[in-house]
Amino acid sequence: QVQLVESGGGLVQGGGSLRLSCAASGRTFSSLAMAWFRQAPGKDREFVAAIRGSGRTTYYADSVKGRFTISRDNAKNTVYLQMISLKPEDTAVYYCAGDPTYYGSMGGPYDYWGRGTQVTVSS
């Protein structure tokens, strides 16, 4: 089993920045592909970004490309999401997810999920 705990959410003005963290425990972290998803009120869960276990390959949703950066520190068992130029439409609960075999933008195949951290961007 893998436990994922997100942190770093909060309230920020439009144009501001935040860095989310997701700490993992319970399994060799470097064996997991990791991803960030988000869900705004009344909307479906949306893929944000993914990163392979090695950290060398990343993948982004078009809506965040150029503004968000996913990274990981396997020595610290942590994955990050650096967010800049935030917009009100980025407001959502952000979840991290991990899986030992799947790397991609679909949420269903990810085995492990955190409970989420709220990001609110004011206009």
Side-chain angles (χ1 to χ4, degrees):
Q1 276 292 343
V2 174
Q3 293 77 44
L4 302 175
V5 180
E6 302 94 337
S7 61
L11 174 64
V12 63
Q13 278 193 324
S17 302
L18 278 176
R19 188 177 82 156
L20 306 183
S21 300
C22 173
S25 61
R27 187 184 175 120
T28 303
F29 181 67
S30 60
S31 70
L32 300 174
M34 299 297 295
W36 288 94
F37 290 80
R38 66 187 182 186
Q39 188 166 21
K43 294 189 176 181
D44 292 337
R45 182 176 60 196
E46 175 188 24
F47 169 75
V48 175
I51 187 168
R52 288 197 184 272
S54 65
R56 288 193 287 265
T57 305
T58 57
Y59 175 40
Y60 295 93
D62 287 344
S63 59
V64 306
K65 207 171 290 184
R67 299 188 300 122
F68 291 10
T69 303
I70 189 171
S71 63
R72 65 192 296 159
D73 185 338
N74 287 343
K76 295 183 178 180
N77 288 2
T78 302
V79 63
Y80 304 98
L81 185 68
Q82 179 68 52
M83 306 183 292
I84 66 171
S85 302
L86 282 162
K87 306 174 182 179
E89 51 263 45
D90 294 318
T91 295
V93 177
Y94 283 70
Y95 299 91
C96 71
D99 196 84
T101 59
Y102 179 74
Y103 167 76
S105 62
M106 294 190 298
Y110 285 93
D111 271 351
Y112 308 114
W113 290 84
R115 294 190 173 186
T117 185
Q118 175 71 47
V119 171
T120 303
V121 184
S122 63
S123 55

